Amino acid sequence: MFRNRLVWLALVGLAGPLLAACTPDADVAPAWEVPGATVPVNFPAPVYPVDQNPPTREAFELGRTLFYDPRLSRTGDISCGSCHQQFVAFAHQDHRLSHGVDNRLSTRNAPALQNLRWRRELLWDGGAKHLETMPLAPITNPVEMDETLDGVLAKLNADPTYQRRFEQVFGRKPIDSQQLLKALAQFTAALTSSNSRYDKHARREAGGELSAAELRGLAVLRQKCASCHAGELFTDESYRNNGLDAAFAADSGRAGITGRPQDVGRFKVPSLRNVALTAPYMHDGRFRNLREVLDHYAGGMVESATLDAQLRQSGSQPGIALTEAEKTDLLAFLATLTDEAFVRDPRLAEQ
């Protein structure tokens, strides 16, 4: 990990002078590092390594423009940023289900976009396995952006400003699909949340002091929740049926990708980072707040053939045994995972 960090920093250091020499924006704006260009010391090695798409300010800013451009949708109304809002960790505040073109509704809640560089598989059902191909799912989904890749490229190639910016980054034209996806990945890979109060606690930094209730909540989480919400990213990247329903006719989850009956009702275990900001919860946004989530795990689960074994209790209702005091402590700890620097970083905002 240390060697990767050195390579990363060296690439960023080399990129800076080159960009300053050829980028008009960099000539007039203060110098800054691309967000997420350094691996946090308490994080594991990234799945999407920096040498696969070395971050540069010019490419990052191009990716940011694309992320917030509604022309990526068929109607020109919906951008990636429409359903992934920075102030709620790039989730969609108060929306149970994703809203697409022509006011169409998805069957799923927009997941928070954060720390994607560390994700092996993406989306609620694992329908994308690579950060660079992930945007194809929402762009082409008929209830989300309902556009084609050819349609997006035609719009971008018709725009002289995009032509100039892509050529500056990639050195050739016309704009093609590889350039589009790599530019978007420059921005989505930069969405790194690693400066919550918990992170400072884990790194023994100033500002990382946790209260007694927060420490009790951390202990409860490690004892009763860490089999799924594991490690520093607070997810084991697995797919699980957590007892929401007895049947899954509206959305079969992971089985929609694999076709396997044992995957019916299984959805990706989400990270808990910034979880206090990302209501509503679950793949279909059915729970309005975290108290409802904890009540579900403590006593609201429904039996089904694929209910996760971790959530079965011999001879009793499925779920996780949680007292009211433990729930209160858990809520206190979960709030420490909020990263104010991440949700307020002006480099990640629409310009």
Side-chain angles (χ1 to χ4, degrees):
M1 180 189 304
F2 183 67
R3 186 177 67 178
N4 290 340
R5 289 181 61 205
L6 289 178
V7 171
W8 193 320
L9 290 171
L11 287 169
V12 171
L14 287 171
L18 291 173
L19 287 175
C22 63
T23 307
D25 290 346
D27 286 343
V28 297
W32 45 259
E33 184 182 64
V34 173
T38 302
V39 177
V41 297
N42 57 324
F43 275 32
V47 172
Y48 183 66
V50 66
D51 59 2
Q52 194 163 332
N53 188 8
T56 70
R57 177 168 172 177
E58 203 169 30
F60 163 79
E61 290 180 329
L62 176 58
R64 181 179 61 196
T65 301
L66 291 165
F67 184 85
Y68 288 109
D69 192 340
R71 284 181 291 179
L72 268 61
S73 66
R74 174 179 57 80
T75 59
D77 297 322
I78 303 293
S79 72
C80 304
S82 299
C83 293
H84 298 284
Q85 302 165 309
Q86 184 187 3
F87 72 100
V88 286
F90 294 92
H92 201 182
Q93 186 185 46
D94 291 336
H95 282 73
R96 275 195 59 198
L97 304 173
S98 296
H99 287 212
V101 297
D102 299 329
N103 292 319
R104 298 171 186 171
L105 280 179
S106 166
T107 59
R108 294 176 183 170
N109 178 254
L113 300 184
Q114 53 187 343
N115 301 328
L116 301 179
R117 191 180 285 283
W118 286 267
R119 303 291 298 275
R120 293 191 299 272
E121 298 176 5
L122 300 135
L123 309 178
W124 281 110
D125 57 13
K129 288 185 171 294
H130 196 285
L131 188 57
E132 292 178 11
T133 56
M134 181 182 69
L136 295 175
I139 288 174
T140 60
N141 191 314
V143 296
E144 295 187 44
M145 302 172 90
D146 195 30
E147 184 52 284
T148 64
L149 187 55
D150 287 344
V152 173
L153 293 174
K155 295 176 196 177
L156 299 181
N157 276 303
D159 184 324
T161 301
Y162 267 128
Q163 287 183 25
R164 174 182 58 80
R165 296 181 66 184
F166 269 94
E167 188 173 13
Q168 286 176 340
V169 171
F170 297 101
R172 67 179 191 274
K173 60 182 179 182
I175 302 165
D176 60 31
S177 57
Q178 183 186 38
Q179 294 172 4
L180 168 66
L181 297 174
K182 279 194 170 293
L184 276 167
Q186 281 270 333
F187 183 73
T188 53
L191 301 176
T192 303
S193 177
S194 61
N195 284 304
S196 67
R197 217 152 43 82
Y198 164 78
D199 287 301
K200 294 174 183 176
H201 172 78
R203 296 193 293 256
R204 302 180 184 277
E205 295 175 354
E209 298 78 14
L210 301 186
S211 70
E214 291 164 347
L215 289 170
R216 290 196 301 270
L218 173 58
V220 173
L221 185 136
R222 286 174 172 166
Q223 179 188 358
K224 299 189 176 184
C225 313
S227 58
C228 301
H229 296 286
E232 289 299 280
L233 299 176
F234 294 93
T235 172
D236 67 350
E237 296 284 298
S238 65
Y239 301 87
R240 297 176 189 264
N241 172 354
N242 62 349
L244 293 173
D245 295 298
F248 299 88
D251 190 342
S252 63
R254 180 67 174 155
I257 300 298
T258 67
R260 303 189 311 174
Q262 59 265 41
D263 287 334
V264 171
R266 296 174 67 201
F267 294 87
K268 192 69 175 283
V269 175
S271 170
L272 296 180
R273 287 181 169 274
N274 292 301
V275 70
L277 303 177
T278 60
Y281 302 101
M282 303 295 165
H283 72 277
D284 56 4
R286 69 177 61 190
F287 296 132
R288 295 167 298 176
N289 55 60
L290 287 172
R291 173 65 72 167
E292 291 183 1
V293 173
L294 296 183
D295 289 343
H296 165 73
Y297 281 113
M301 286 192 183
V302 177
E303 276 280 6
S304 66
T306 59
L307 178 65
D308 196 90
Q310 295 279 351
L311 300 171
R312 294 186 184 279
Q313 301 178 66
S314 179
S316 62
Q317 174 76 15
I320 302 171
L322 289 172
T323 67
E324 291 305 310
E326 287 175 329
K327 292 178 189 177
T328 299
D329 290 338
L330 269 174
L331 292 172
F333 171 72
L334 292 175
T336 73
L337 295 171
T338 299
D339 183 350
E340 293 291 344
F342 174 62
V343 299
R344 297 175 186 274
D345 189 337
R347 298 170 298 178
L348 302 175
E350 185 174 7
Q351 305 296 301

